Amino acid sequence: MKAIILAGGLGTRLGSMTEKIPKPMVKINNKPIIWHIMSIYSKFGINDFIVALGYRGDIIKDYFKNYKEYSSNLKINLDSNKIEYIDYNPKNWNITLIDTGNDTMTGGRLKRLEKYIDDKDFLLTYGDGLSNVDIGELIKFHKSNSKIATVTAVRPKARFGELIIENKIVKSFKEKPNLDRGWINGGFFVFNRKIFQYIDNDSIDLEGE
């Protein structure tokens, strides 16, 4: 089964961090977010990826073209120009990188990848979100319900800490607890190929339409 990663957004919510690089290349623990996303899938045996590129897609291409160099320490002999890669940990990942346009909406990006997907079902996520989601259970749930689309749902955290006060005395202080009501898009999907019947063009917003 293939996993699609939508990696073409402008990343305006990350401010100056994404003026020169796309969101998926923002680093966590010295590794770009997209690497962490692929590692999540790989943990469950998913090693075939299709990356929908857009804004600064050239940087993502460059990273994977030169993955060995970016992921290793180096020992270089300046006389012979011989390079030795140290502590390199190769990944058995197959990565297809497709330019889907700078201004294409999420549904349009998916539609542009249709010809690269030959399985009945496939996975999809965004290039800027991490989760402890059990991908194996997600796939099993999707197949057991025989639906076109499955989406993970998560409880959002409150923006502020919560105080419980009785008679002017603070009895409880919960720092940004999970809300008891409401669910939000957790960002990890499973789709059946039938989804493509509902996407007409680049302007289709996958989440809204």
Side-chain angles (χ1 to χ4, degrees), residues 52-137:
L53 302 175
Y55 172 70
R56 298 312 310 267
D58 55 313
I59 293 177
I60 299 176
K61 282 183 179 179
D62 179 72
Y63 174 75
F64 286 113
K65 279 166 55 180
N66 300 287
Y67 179 77
K68 187 173 184 178
E69 182 173 328
Y70 284 125
S71 302
S72 306
N73 292 314
L74 300 177
K75 182 178 180 180
I76 305 172
N77 183 288
L78 296 181
D79 182 41
S80 64
N81 203 31
K82 181 182 177 181
I83 299 175
E84 181 181 345
Y85 295 92
I86 305 171
D87 303 322
Y88 176 55
N89 182 23
K91 298 291 185 181
N92 184 31
W93 296 345
N94 299 303
I95 305 168
T96 303
L97 300 151
I98 305 296
D99 183 6
T100 56
N102 279 358
D103 301 317
T104 310
M105 299 297 288
T106 49
R109 292 190 193 282
L110 174 56
K111 182 67 173 179
R112 288 195 181 202
L113 302 179
E114 181 176 5
K115 64 181 179 181
Y116 302 101
I117 302 168
D118 46 21
D119 297 325
K120 177 184 176 182
D121 296 302
F122 60 92
L123 301 146
L124 180 143
T125 194
Y126 306 104
D128 61 352
L130 300 175
S131 174
N132 63 351
V133 61
D134 187 321
I135 300 296
E137 287 298 317

Side-chain angles (χ1 to χ4, degrees), residues 16-59:
S16 60
M17 293 179 69
T18 53
E19 287 180 0
K20 296 183 179 179
I21 61 172
K23 283 190 294 184
M25 294 306 295
V26 172
K27 289 185 177 181
I28 298 174
N29 196 24
N30 207 36
K31 294 285 188 182
I33 292 175
I34 194 169
W35 181 91
H36 291 284
I37 293 170
M38 290 178 172
S39 295
I40 292 171
Y41 282 115
S42 186
K43 177 182 175 182
F44 294 94
I46 306 297
N47 295 303
D48 290 332
F49 303 98
I50 304 175
V51 183
L53 302 175
Y55 172 70
R56 298 312 310 267
D58 55 313
I59 293 177

Side-chain angles (χ1 to χ4, degrees), residues 6-17:
L6 300 178
L10 293 176
T12 53
R13 284 182 292 183
L14 290 179
S16 60
M17 293 179 69

